[in-house]
Amino acid sequence: MAWLFGDHRLDPDLFELTCKGDVVHAEPQVLALIIHLVRNRARMVSKDEIASTVWPDRAVSDASIASRIRSARQALGDDGCAQAVIRTIHGKGFRFVAEVKEASPALPHQTRPSDADTGADLSRPSVAVLPFRPLGASPEVTILAEAIPHEIIQGLSRLRWISVIARGSSFRFREGRGDLDLVGTALGAGYVMTGVIESLAGTVAVVLELADASRGEVIWADRLTAPMDGIEDLRQRVVAQVVTALDMHVPQNEVRLASQTGSDRLDAWKTFHLGLTQLYRFTPDANQVAKGHFERAIALDPRFARAHAGLSFTRFIDAFLHLGPSDAEAASAARRHAERGIELDPIDPFTHYTMGRSYWLTDQPEIAKGWFDRAIELNPNYAQGFYASAFTALMTGDIKTVDAGLDAALLLSPLDPLLYGIHGVRAQAMIQVGDLQAAARLGDRAASTPGAHYLISMVAAVANGLDGRYEQAHRWRQDARRRKPDASAAQYFAAFPIRNEKARHQIAEELKRQGF
């Protein structure tokens, strides 16, 4: 269901507001507020209700609510004087008063029939999740053999880059697990997820396998166990593990297959995945290669949202690592490409993730947090969304949120390509709380992790220097200089604009001592 009022159209499923057909860019909290007011337009919405809806589990001030109301009015072409759309009920709350008509929701841009006219072959990877094979006759095992795969299908449906075969189709193959090629051909699935569940001596075990259907190759497998009274926790762990595993291993397999194919035969999706493998190397050369792959993917399909988001990421790296002639131009381009990605697919977590990162570059962590929160809402198993949220909390000094976010990211993706960043953020959090020994240890781990860039070496140098480990600090200082001869304190604080004045002063003094 979508709502029409004036020149605006609001689609809550797409999380999109348009005016005369053009997307209105607003913060996620602002859109959530507008949606809640429209949905409850028949009554007044109190300030407490707004707070619990827009900021769940957080205490907020009247000033914060007033700020979001102002932004909502601005997005809707209203103001505090006219109040033609949102009316203030003084001292109590607000009410949406514009005349609203209901309409059918719009199809996502990438699935509209007219998009087929572009001739682009997306060839998205597809996966079929079969019902698990139960071993043992206990009712719990029999129920879970279908309940868990059903929940996996629901979880995978949040991943915008992969097609998930509907339960009604894949569950017909209860007896066809042995011939994966047959299952894949019948369902049009490139990948098949199978599992075995059994109860033994008071425990429940789930064995999982993800296979490339056409080649019969297992590309990922795992085994999870829990006591019988921990079945609910086991269900959640299985779903999280599978969603995260597919998010990592299917793209890796796609890249492996794509690298065996001539570049002139690659479609937009495979070209995008090739770019993704270069992106996380965080080096100037790899970033240029990634940029080329994303640009080619966009040329193959101009409406490919993730390719635009990938291009935004490369420009973020340009600005974050100071790789080009103008950080300001790179930051502006990062924002512009992210906006295009969201315009094309407003419910893709990756597009929201890149939009949030663009706000890091302009030292606006509060706005960035809104985009990361939305990315996690769209995909609760999005490890990098949790990492980005923790990074943002580091800037504002919310160490409790830093710890929770990093713990979630590590649980979901222990081998994440941004693992060095996870350790680096934790090291800086330890500096803020005064645990310098832990900060030095984590700094060493971060800078020693594959993919770490010169800023991470600077983090390790600072943490070791503050802990009095001067020889180790010198080593990381030299490493940073080798990677970036003009590395400076200004670059450090541009990347990590922390607002804890005491910690900022400590770090600045240590950077100065080390000659940055």
Side-chain angles (χ1 to χ4, degrees):
M1 181 63 65
W3 298 300
L4 307 177
F5 43 93
D7 294 326
H8 290 83
R9 178 189 182 99
L10 179 61
D11 192 323
D13 294 324
L14 293 182
F15 204 68
E16 182 180 76
L17 174 68
T18 60
C19 181
K20 297 180 180 179
D22 295 325
V23 174
V24 177
H25 297 293
E27 297 173 37
Q29 288 181 338
V30 174
L31 278 179
L33 170 60
I34 296 173
I35 289 170
H36 190 72
L37 289 174
V38 175
R39 182 171 282 136
N40 296 278
R41 60 190 179 276
R43 62 180 178 83
M44 181 201 76
V45 177
S46 70
K47 292 181 180 180
D48 288 344
E49 183 177 344
I50 289 174
S52 63
T53 300
V54 181
W55 295 273
D57 302 320
R58 285 181 55 195
V60 296
S61 65
D62 285 353
S64 296
I65 295 173
S67 173
R68 296 304 185 273
I69 290 290
R70 280 196 303 272
S71 297
R73 282 178 170 147
Q74 183 178 8
L76 298 172
D78 195 14
D79 59 52
C81 295
Q83 296 192 12
V85 182
I86 299 176
R87 180 175 299 165
T88 300
I89 312 298
H90 290 290
K92 295 185 177 181
F94 305 89
R95 184 177 173 189
F96 195 92
V97 294
E99 182 178 353
V100 177
K101 296 180 181 179
E102 296 182 345
S104 299
L107 288 172
H109 290 294
Q110 286 183 306
T111 59
R112 288 177 182 168
S114 60
D115 287 354
D117 297 336
T118 65
D121 179 14
L122 290 180
S123 300
R124 284 195 296 167
S126 55
V127 61
V129 182
L130 305 190
F132 291 173
R133 183 159 57 96
L135 296 181
S138 69
E140 293 91 346
V141 167
T142 303
I143 293 171
L144 289 175
E146 294 202 4
I148 292 180
H150 176 67
E151 291 179 7
I152 290 173
I153 291 172
Q154 290 180 318
L156 293 177
S157 67
R158 294 176 179 266
L159 301 180
R160 300 289 290 162
W161 58 269
I162 192 167
S163 298
V164 186
I165 306 302
R167 178 183 187 276
S169 297
S170 60
F171 273 35
R172 292 175 182 234
F173 285 85
R174 287 178 173 80
E175 308 303 326
R177 301 178 184 86
D179 192 341
L180 295 182
D181 187 37
L182 172 64
V183 174
T185 301
L187 296 175
Y191 298 89
V192 177
M193 168 67 67
T194 59
V196 174
I197 182 168
E198 63 176 329
S199 59
L200 182 66
T203 64
V204 180
V206 178
V207 179
L208 303 160
E209 283 191 359
L210 175 65
D212 183 323
S214 63
R215 293 168 178 77
E217 300 173 353
V218 175
I219 64 172
W220 172 78
D222 203 354
R223 185 176 189 273
L224 300 176
T225 62
M228 190 63 72
D229 59 2
I231 284 179
E232 185 60 34
D233 175 66
L234 178 65
R235 291 171 63 166
Q236 295 175 9
R237 285 168 52 208
V238 168
V239 174
Q241 286 283 88
V242 169
V243 172
T244 305
L246 260 77
D247 213 5
M248 178 179 296
H249 293 283
V250 170
Q252 288 178 353
N253 193 56
E254 290 289 301
V255 168
R256 180 175 66 86
L257 299 177
S259 64
Q260 301 169 3
T261 306
S263 59
D264 59 330
R265 296 172 56 194
L266 295 180
D267 56 46
W269 273 100
K270 288 184 174 61
T271 302
F272 166 77
H273 285 305
L274 284 175
L276 215 55
T277 61
Q278 298 291 325
L279 186 69
Y280 293 114
R281 297 184 181 183
F282 276 82
T283 66
D285 290 343
N287 201 48
Q288 283 299 116
V289 173
K291 197 177 299 180
H293 285 309
F294 295 139
E295 288 172 344
R296 175 163 173 75
I298 291 170
L300 290 169
D301 177 22
R303 302 188 67 82
F304 185 9
R306 284 213 157 194
H308 289 278
L311 199 54
S312 170
F313 205 147
T314 65
R315 301 316 312 275
F316 166 84
I317 292 173
D318 284 341
F320 191 74
L321 297 183
H322 314 285
L323 301 182
S326 172
D327 292 347
E329 185 278 328
S332 176
R335 179 79 48 80
R336 184 173 69 253
H337 291 305
E339 287 175 345
R340 180 58 175 156
I342 289 176
E343 179 183 347
L344 292 170
D345 193 344
I347 55 176
D348 186 332
F350 186 55
T351 61
H352 289 71
Y353 171 74
T354 55
M355 178 66 93
R357 288 180 79 101
S358 77
Y359 280 99
W360 283 354
L361 300 174
T362 51
D363 192 14
Q364 296 175 281
E366 292 84 2
I367 296 178
K369 182 183 185 303
W371 290 105
F372 297 139
D373 287 348
R374 176 61 176 161
I376 294 169
E377 180 184 341
L378 290 167
N379 179 9
N381 299 298
Y382 192 26
Q384 290 187 13
F386 284 103
Y387 159 65
S389 181
F391 191 123
T392 305
L394 174 74
M395 298 181 195
T396 59
D398 184 359
I399 303 303
K400 183 178 180 181
T401 298
V402 172
D403 288 338
L406 296 181
D407 288 346
L410 282 171
L411 179 65
L412 290 167
S413 185
L415 299 176
D416 197 88
L418 293 179
L419 185 60
Y420 64 85
I422 293 174
H423 295 320
V425 168
R426 185 96 73 180
Q428 294 184 84
M430 292 299 97
I431 292 175
Q432 291 196 34
V433 300
D435 190 345
L436 300 179
Q437 187 176 19
R441 185 179 67 253
L442 287 161
D444 287 345
R445 186 183 302 176
S448 301
T449 301
H453 46 74
Y454 82 96
L455 288 168
I456 299 298
S457 296
M458 291 181 73
V459 170
V462 166
N464 278 279
L466 290 174
D467 192 40
R469 302 173 66 195
Y470 299 120
E471 185 175 337
Q472 186 75 336
H474 179 72
R475 174 193 167 195
W476 291 122
R477 174 191 174 280
Q478 292 297 97
D479 187 69
R481 286 291 190 208
R482 177 182 60 81
R483 295 168 181 263
K484 184 78 169 171
D486 64 343
S488 66
Q491 292 176 5
Y492 185 102
F493 287 116
F496 310 115
I498 60 174
R499 296 179 180 176
N500 182 316
E501 290 300 328
K502 180 180 177 181
R504 188 182 180 96
H505 177 73
Q506 275 185 299
I507 293 170
E509 287 298 307
E510 182 59 28
L511 288 169
K512 181 179 179 180
R513 188 191 71 79
Q514 295 190 31
F516 288 109

